Amino acid sequence: MPTTFLISSLVLALWVGCAQAQLKVEITAPADKASAPLRPIVEGKVSDPSATIWVVVHPLEDSDYWVQPLVRVRANGSWKVQIHMGRPGSLDVGKIFEIRAVVNPEGELVEGKVLPNWPKARALSDVIEVTRR
């Protein structure tokens, strides 16, 4: 019995490791290097529809990373959320913002939270750069 338990535990650990390694998230819109308004809609896909996704925005001229509203993921893994890219008015027009999707973060995230860097998470999208128009 101990051998069977050991083998079962090893198989389970390998399966869980593979499942974690395969979790993927991507931003499909806006495109990298695009321009966008103050409140663009960010869209994407995730390989696990049960995942928790947050979008984080980093103004290049600033050291802060801004947590956006919690994303609602559809059953097919697609998602979209409307974010804030800078301040209202023309103050941030022409400025570059980095945007990244964060899946199943290690710490608690809430909309409006300001972070010192990208949060640690089970999966991260590539960073896209978007210019505010």
Side-chain angles (χ1 to χ4, degrees):
M1 186 84 145
T3 303
T4 303
F5 176 75
L6 182 60
I7 291 172
S8 297
S9 296
L10 179 59
V11 168
L12 179 61
L14 289 171
W15 181 81
V16 168
C18 287
Q20 287 180 348
Q22 293 176 1
L23 182 59
K24 299 208 183 313
V25 63
E26 67 176 314
I27 294 174
T28 57
D32 189 33
K33 309 294 187 211
S35 66
L38 169 65
R39 299 287 319 271
I41 294 177
V42 177
E43 299 179 50
K45 296 178 187 174
V46 65
S47 60
D48 178 2
S50 68
T52 300
I53 300 177
W54 294 88
V55 170
V56 178
V57 174
H58 172 237
L60 281 185
E61 292 185 356
D62 196 338
S63 60
D64 294 332
Y65 295 73
W66 295 82
V67 179
Q68 302 300 304
L70 179 64
V71 173
R72 185 172 186 172
V73 182
R74 294 185 181 103
N76 67 0
S78 67
W79 54 268
K80 68 168 84 173
V81 64
Q82 189 170 26
I83 66 167
H84 298 268
M85 213 167 65
R87 298 163 282 194
S90 61
L91 194 58
D92 292 322
V93 170
K95 294 186 179 177
I96 299 172
F97 292 81
E98 293 180 320
I99 301 172
R100 177 176 245 180
V102 176
V103 181
N104 298 344
E106 287 183 10
E108 180 184 359
L109 296 182
V110 293
E111 180 180 350
K113 185 173 186 176
V114 181
L115 306 170
N117 48 38
W118 299 116
K120 292 183 180 177
R122 197 166 139 213
L124 299 167
S125 72
D126 288 338
V127 175
I128 63 167
E129 288 184 4
V130 178
T131 301
R132 165 79 183 279
R133 66 170 184 246

